[in-house]
Amino acid sequence: MAAPGPVASPRPGGEPILKDVVAYVEVWSASGVENYSKTFVNQLLSMGARVSKTFNRNVTHVIFKEGYQSTWNKAQKYGVKLVSVLWVEKCRLSGKHVDESLFPAINTHEGLSSLIKKKRKCMQPKDFIPRTPENDRRLQKKIEKMANELNMQKTSIDNDIPVLLFEADGSLMYSPTAKIKDQCNAMEKRLQEMKDKRENLSPTFSQMLALNSDPSSSGVALNTSINTSHSGVESGKAKLNILEDVSKGFMDQKIKSLEESKKTRKVKKPTRTLVMTSMPSEKQNIIMQVVDKLKDFSISCEVCESTTHVVAGEPRRTLNVLLGIARGCWIVSYEWVLWSLEFGHWISEEPYELSNNFPAASICRLERHLSTGQYQGDLFASQPVMFITAASEPPCAKLRELVQLCGGHVSRSPFVASIYIGPYRGKKLPQIKHLSEKWILDSITQHKICPCENYLMP
């Protein structure tokens, strides 16, 4: 059944763009783990299309990427149009129903044997089931083993046979039967609590040592060999086995935690960053998901030294675009991310570079590529010292950063500058040029010094 959508984006004439489309969306990541369908469902609904939750006879279009082979076969059988996610984006940008044959879907698994096709993995977390003796055989056996060992010790105590115990340093000692009874009672009580509470608990190594190294114990250390009865030795061995089991479990847990910490340290954060600009939140969410999947980038809010790519939702001149040009970054369109998602890896940026809108982008990017050290532009290197007023727009700090990245010199004092940028309320001297902020912005965009006469402040 088709889902009702929000108010559709109409054509200039008032009619929804995709009013006759009934779509079924199946968009997955290349690994078959992440499902990106919801974002494109919302876009289709906003353009007036109906979206079906199931593939039925009413479906006219299938938006397909890395989907099920059965969906592909069914669409071909019924003659339903198979299109890629780029068709949805092109319809939204152009505001009209685009020809589907220009954006055919690609099935990367067509022709593969069913034995080697990827299976979908459900990422929904499983319900947590606490471990209890009833549903965990290992825990049940462990409790039974402890109970048997306690019974052996109680038998030896009832016969008043001395039991061998060991100090924390490994030295052998006697312990009176009264003391052994207290220890066994404590163990028995703990075992009963485990059964009652169904907790996954066992005596810790420190607790076992505390029981055997009580200062009030009247045991006497022996340095010579001791002959004792067979049952006493067996009881001592049982006690020692419990200590060894607990110690081994403690060490295994410690080694495991150390290995996990090493793995965590080995995970390196990407050294290059990607910045989004002129981008609605819907597209930002898609880019963040793609970056999380394809790796190699981290997302940054502003252009900085580590930024290599600026992705623009629309070709508008923003501060991030200008800073990206000044730093020699790739200025690319949103389609670069979509096509990278389509191929499952980051593809070449050049076909998607916005060099027509920002001529300086490709020039500065090539200069940065050819530079041996840290890239430094020289656009304003030959210009006099500038002073940027506090009332300027964009903010003074950002304009100062732009000028300095392009090799210019900016003074915080107006007395040493020959060019004033932005509104200035003081007395204007004839030898000082008072220019609009657009002089800086246009010069960076075109990668040439624009004539000052066109930017004089009144």
Side-chain angles (χ1 to χ4, degrees), residues 261-455:
S261 63
K262 286 181 180 178
K263 288 180 181 178
T264 305
R265 285 196 297 267
K266 286 181 181 178
V267 177
K268 293 183 179 179
K269 190 177 181 181
T271 55
R272 56 179 185 167
T273 58
L274 177 147
V275 174
M276 299 176 283
T277 186
S278 300
M279 192 91 60
S281 58
E282 192 176 75
K283 289 185 177 181
Q284 290 182 25
N285 291 333
I286 293 179
I287 290 180
M288 285 189 285
Q289 291 179 26
V290 175
V291 168
D292 184 57
K293 178 60 188 171
L294 302 184
K295 310 298 181 186
D296 295 336
F297 285 102
S298 60
I299 302 292
S300 177
C301 297
E302 296 181 347
V303 175
C304 57
E305 292 181 0
S306 61
T307 303
T308 57
H309 291 68
V310 177
V311 182
E314 298 177 6
R316 290 172 50 204
R317 186 172 71 180
T318 63
L319 264 177
N320 276 328
V321 167
L322 291 170
L323 286 168
I325 293 173
R327 290 189 180 274
C329 302
W330 284 99
I331 312 296
V332 293
S333 66
Y334 172 67
E335 282 71 22
W336 173 67
V337 178
L338 287 182
W339 275 108
S340 296
L341 172 64
E342 189 81 13
F343 283 94
H345 60 85
W346 296 114
I347 60 175
S348 173
E349 300 91 340
E350 202 159 348
Y352 308 95
E353 189 173 24
L354 299 175
S355 54
N356 291 335
N357 304 93
F358 309 108
S362 57
I363 299 173
C364 294
R365 190 248 311 159
L366 288 171
E367 288 179 351
R368 174 176 174 172
H369 179 71
L370 296 174
S371 63
T372 53
Q374 186 176 2
Y375 173 66
Q376 173 65 61
D378 57 358
L379 179 64
F380 294 119
S382 60
Q383 296 301 306
V385 178
M386 304 179 200
F387 170 73
I388 301 174
T389 65
S392 61
E393 186 63 36
C396 172
K398 291 298 182 182
L399 286 175
R400 184 185 299 114
E401 183 181 0
L402 283 171
V403 173
Q404 291 174 342
L405 286 172
C406 295
H409 304 283
V410 181
S411 172
R412 295 182 181 272
S413 171
F415 303 107
V416 296
S418 301
I419 298 177
Y420 287 11
I421 304 295
Y424 184 70
R425 296 182 179 179
K427 184 179 179 180
K428 295 183 178 180
L429 301 176
Q431 67 270 22
I432 303 296
K433 292 181 180 178
H434 294 266
L435 304 180
S436 166
E437 302 92 328
K438 285 192 66 179
W439 176 70
I440 294 176
L441 307 182
D442 290 349
S443 297
I444 293 175
T445 304
Q446 300 175 31
H447 200 64
K448 65 178 183 179
I449 301 298
C450 296
C452 298
E453 299 79 30
N454 300 335
Y455 300 90

Side-chain angles (χ1 to χ4, degrees), residues 131-229:
R131 293 177 60 192
T132 63
E134 285 78 8
N135 61 21
D136 193 314
R137 293 186 61 186
R138 291 186 62 186
L139 181 59
Q140 186 178 6
K141 287 182 178 181
K142 193 171 184 180
I143 293 176
E144 289 175 355
K145 180 181 177 182
M146 291 173 62
N148 293 334
E149 289 170 347
L150 286 173
N151 288 332
M152 290 174 60
Q153 291 187 7
K154 287 175 68 177
T155 303
S156 63
I157 293 169
D158 294 340
N159 296 332
D160 290 333
I161 299 173
V163 179
L164 293 176
L165 289 180
F166 296 85
E167 290 282 12
D169 59 0
S171 60
L172 185 64
M173 76 173 195
Y174 272 115
S175 185
T177 48
K179 184 66 180 176
I180 296 296
K181 285 182 180 179
D182 294 339
Q183 294 178 5
C184 289
N185 289 337
M187 290 285 292
E188 193 169 13
K189 184 179 179 181
R190 177 171 176 76
L191 185 59
Q192 187 60 40
E193 289 177 357
M194 288 176 62
K195 290 182 178 179
D196 293 341
K197 296 182 180 180
R198 295 291 187 262
E199 292 180 344
N200 182 18
L201 299 174
S202 60
T204 63
F205 187 60
S206 59
Q207 288 172 334
M208 296 298 298
L209 291 179
L211 290 174
N212 293 315
S213 59
D214 192 337
S216 64
S217 175
S218 58
V220 180
L222 300 178
N223 295 323
T224 60
S225 61
I226 300 173
N227 293 323
T228 184
S229 65

